[in-house]
């Protein structure tokens, strides 16, 4: 999973480094444009670094698994990659966006919310690594540490908040006398409803799998 995250971070950095001056095409570069380009370079370097770490971790894991039995590999080899780069990039991005200068107060407050969400996601991802290190998984099934639920909530809310922080939406908010707190509350509510729906779907899937297993066992006994 960390390898996929690093790849997405790297792709985002590559694609957006050429798009940060589109809104001011033909005009002089501003300090905000340069700040955005610096963020994309952070994503490019961080994503590339993370993928290099993943390749080294993967090769080390394959070499260690070759000398272990099946039972030992299930016990000793973790089912995750302890790659801190994605969490570090999210924390740095959250810190940057929290202090990102904007032309209006509402836009600044929305960016502060985005930064807080991303920083919280980074912290809870670090807690996930800590939990899995202290109590490693003993089964092939997903471990589902509770901290990842908070990480998902923060990333989803931060992403929706980022999409809502564009200049047209902010101008409409100001024109209709709406504030950033209202938008943040609505986004958090939508996120929790979506997450609840996903949990319902996962529960239905597991129920169907158990029912299918029971039916198969009955047929085998017959």
């Amino acid at each position: 999973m960390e390898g996929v995250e690093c790849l997405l971070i790297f792709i985002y950095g590559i694609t957006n480094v050429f798009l940060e001056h589109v809104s001011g095409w033909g005009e002089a570069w501003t300090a905000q444009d340069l700040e955005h380009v610096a963020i994309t370079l952070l994503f490019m370097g961080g994503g590339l670094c993370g993928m290099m770490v993943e390749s080294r971790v993967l090769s080390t894991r394959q070499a260690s698994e070759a000398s272990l039995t099946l039972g030992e590999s299930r016990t000793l080899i973790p089912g995750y990659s302890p790659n801190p780069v994605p969490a570090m990039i999210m924390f740095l991005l959250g810190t940057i966006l929290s202090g990102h200068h904007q032309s209006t107060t509402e836009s600044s407050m929305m960016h502060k919310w985005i930064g807080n969400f991303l920083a919280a996601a980074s912290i809870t991802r670090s807690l996930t690594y800590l939990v899995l290190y202290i109590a490693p998984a003993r089964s092939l099934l997903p471990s589902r540490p509770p901290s990842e639920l908070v990480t998902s909530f923060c990333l989803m809310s931060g992403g929706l908040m980022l999409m809502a922080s564009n200049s047209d939406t902010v101008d409409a908010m100001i024109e209709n006398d709406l504030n950033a707190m209202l938008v943040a509350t609505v986004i958090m509510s939508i996120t929790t409803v979506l997450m609840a729906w996903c949990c319902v779907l996962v529960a239905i899937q597991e129920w169907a799998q158990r029912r299918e297993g029971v039916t198969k066992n009955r047929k085998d006994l017959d």
Side-chain angles (χ1 to χ4, degrees), residues 4-137:
V4 176
E5 292 175 348
C6 292
L7 177 61
L8 293 176
I9 290 173
F10 180 68
I11 293 175
Y12 178 87
I14 288 180
T15 55
N16 278 267
V17 72
F18 303 105
L19 302 175
E20 295 299 343
H21 193 57
V22 172
S23 60
W25 190 261
E27 302 176 1
W29 283 68
T30 63
Q32 192 173 24
D33 293 333
L34 296 176
E35 184 179 4
H36 289 167
V37 171
I39 293 175
T40 60
L41 293 177
L42 172 67
F43 271 61
M44 289 174 58
L48 182 60
C49 179
M51 288 190 293
M52 294 174 65
V53 170
E54 280 297 307
S55 62
R56 181 173 179 82
V57 168
L58 182 60
S59 61
T60 304
R61 182 181 301 176
Q62 290 175 347
S64 61
E65 286 180 347
S67 60
L68 296 176
T69 63
L70 179 60
E72 290 175 337
S73 63
R74 290 180 178 179
T75 304
L76 300 177
I77 303 299
Y80 69 99
S81 172
N83 187 351
V85 174
M88 180 190 70
I89 295 298
M90 287 300 104
F91 183 80
L92 293 176
L93 180 62
T95 305
I96 292 171
L97 292 180
S98 294
H100 195 30
H101 176 72
Q102 299 294 316
S103 57
T104 62
T105 303
E106 298 303 330
S107 182
S108 298
M109 291 300 298
M110 293 180 71
H111 277 75
K112 186 173 181 61
W113 272 102
I114 298 168
N116 292 339
F117 280 131
L118 296 181
S122 173
I123 294 172
T124 52
R125 172 58 63 84
S126 301
L127 289 177
T128 298
Y129 290 150
L130 180 62
V131 169
L132 293 178
Y133 179 79
I134 295 175

Side-chain angles (χ1 to χ4, degrees), residues 160-177:
L160 292 174
M161 198 74 178
L162 181 61
M163 289 188 287
S165 65
N166 62 83
S167 58
D168 293 335
T169 303
V170 173
D171 291 340
M173 289 170 52
I174 296 174
E175 183 178 353
N176 291 277
D177 197 22

Side-chain angles (χ1 to χ4, degrees), residues 205-218:
Q205 179 192 17
E206 293 186 348
W207 171 81
Q209 289 176 345
R210 288 195 301 268
R211 185 176 179 83
E212 183 181 4
V214 171
T215 304
K216 185 177 180 181
N217 291 334
R218 288 178 179 175

